[in-house]
Amino acid sequence: MTATHTFDKALALKPGPVRPGHYFGVTSPDYWNMVGPFGGTTAAIVLQSVLSHPDLLGAPIAITVNYASAVEAGPFEVQATPVRTNRSTQHWTIHLTQADANGEQQVNTTATVVTAARRETWRASDIPVPQVPPPAEVARMNIGPAGVAWLAQYELRPISGHVPIRWDGSGDHSETRIWLRDAEPRALDFASLASMSDMFYPRIWLRRARHVPAGTVSITTYFHAGKTELEAVGTGYLLGRATGQRFHNGFFDQAAQLWSEAGELLATSNQIVYFKE
């Protein structure tokens, strides 16, 4: 018998007894960030609630997750609702809630997901895969500050755009390129791809070389791969690239792409992030 992977334990959802799409879960200390769960794990849980729904049509093509407030350690509930099912697409709304001091459920995360029944068509990619050395030639990153447990769950091999060594305001660009995969081998699927789309630290840290407080407000990930392409990746590395776009009045956006080792573009994401002066 194979032991359950740490990531799958974090995604474990128990169906509620009354209405379809209602699930119970518990936050995982293995994917804890500074003040709450790693946002990628929350996105994966949201997506998992849709993938577990008995009325699911097709596979995910897009997910948007809005982090309304911090998720606290402990139990939570998720409600996934298919609000419209068409011939080829299905549209979902999702709410993640936790009980407050009075036992009332409060919304911490809202999300939308679009799933679709894909069909074979013409294909092309206008985003070239970066030319980088293979993973074996790139040093593995040493895990950073204590208390950020989720970093230990991934094998990270930064090629360029490392976290600044000196926080002295000398930054002049915001691009990072990195090889990544689960530290404990696990075959890639849509949930883990959604999580890895949020792997990149805030671009403002690199652009300014200043460790300013920052956090994701909303992230949208587009899935360009289907089940067959994900199965071809298996437990292999993904090549990630992230860059900032506009830093202004307390918020900035950053874009990211994830390719397979074979050069297949698997997912792209965009997120809006707040920062404090």
Side-chain angles (χ1 to χ4, degrees), residues 87-171:
R87 184 175 179 181
S88 301
T89 60
Q90 192 171 42
H91 299 258
W92 299 78
T93 60
I94 305 94
H95 292 83
L96 187 151
T97 64
Q98 286 185 306
D100 62 14
N102 297 318
E104 297 292 330
Q105 289 293 317
Q106 301 295 322
V107 175
N108 291 342
T109 305
T110 67
T112 59
V113 170
V114 181
T115 61
R118 289 182 177 270
R119 296 176 176 83
E120 282 295 324
T121 64
W122 172 85
R123 62 175 65 191
S125 177
D126 284 349
I127 301 180
V129 59
Q131 298 303 302
V132 298
E137 296 180 10
V138 180
R140 184 171 180 174
M141 186 181 82
N142 292 324
I143 300 306
V148 187
W150 72 269
L151 283 173
Q153 305 305 326
Y154 293 98
E155 179 182 337
L156 306 173
R157 296 177 179 265
I159 303 158
S160 62
H162 302 60
V163 177
I165 298 175
R166 294 182 298 275
W167 302 99
D168 57 4
S170 63

Side-chain angles (χ1 to χ4, degrees), residues 23-268:
Y23 301 96
F24 298 90
V26 180
T27 58
S28 170
D30 296 314
Y31 288 89
W32 204 251
N33 205 346
M34 297 297 290
V35 295
F38 165 47
T41 311
T42 302
I45 289 169
V46 164
L47 186 57
Q48 189 69 9
S49 72
V50 171
L51 297 176
S52 302
H53 200 288
D55 297 333
L56 173 66
L57 169 70
I61 60 172
I63 177 173
T64 296
V65 182
N66 306 306
Y67 302 95
S69 66
V71 177
E72 298 181 358
F76 59 81
E77 298 182 24
V78 184
Q79 178 65 51
T81 305
V83 295
R84 176 72 186 233
T85 300
N86 300 317
R87 184 175 179 181
S88 301
T89 60
Q90 192 171 42
H91 299 258
W92 299 78
T93 60
I94 305 94
H95 292 83
L96 187 151
T97 64
Q98 286 185 306
D100 62 14
N102 297 318
E104 297 292 330
Q105 289 293 317
Q106 301 295 322
V107 175
N108 291 342
T109 305
T110 67
T112 59
V113 170
V114 181
T115 61
R118 289 182 177 270
R119 296 176 176 83
E120 282 295 324
T121 64
W122 172 85
R123 62 175 65 191
S125 177
D126 284 349
I127 301 180
V129 59
Q131 298 303 302
V132 298
E137 296 180 10
V138 180
R140 184 171 180 174
M141 186 181 82
N142 292 324
I143 300 306
V148 187
W150 72 269
L151 283 173
Q153 305 305 326
Y154 293 98
E155 179 182 337
L156 306 173
R157 296 177 179 265
I159 303 158
S160 62
H162 302 60
V163 177
I165 298 175
R166 294 182 298 275
W167 302 99
D168 57 4
S170 63
D172 60 3
H173 72 91
S174 61
E175 183 187 62
T176 289
R177 295 180 297 171
I178 186 172
W179 289 108
L180 60 143
R181 66 178 177 179
D182 287 293
E184 177 188 352
R186 182 184 183 279
L188 186 69
D189 58 16
F190 288 109
S192 58
L193 186 57
S195 182
M196 292 181 192
S197 295
D198 193 30
M199 291 287 297
F200 306 93
Y201 66 86
R203 298 294 86 198
I204 195 168
W205 292 359
L206 182 59
R207 181 63 180 83
R208 296 185 68 188
R210 290 193 181 280
H211 197 215
V212 299
T216 302
V217 178
S218 179
I219 182 171
T220 295
T221 297
Y222 300 108
F223 302 100
H224 306 297
K227 182 180 179 181
T228 300
E229 289 86 355
L230 299 188
E231 288 177 345
V233 174
T235 60
Y237 292 92
L238 301 187
L239 173 61
R241 175 184 178 271
T243 184
Q245 299 184 116
R246 171 66 167 164
F247 306 84
H248 180 66
N249 287 358
F251 294 88
F252 65 91
D253 64 330
Q254 62 186 52
Q257 302 88 38
L258 291 170
W259 290 267
S260 68
E261 287 186 72
E264 184 95 13
L265 183 62
L266 303 176
T268 55

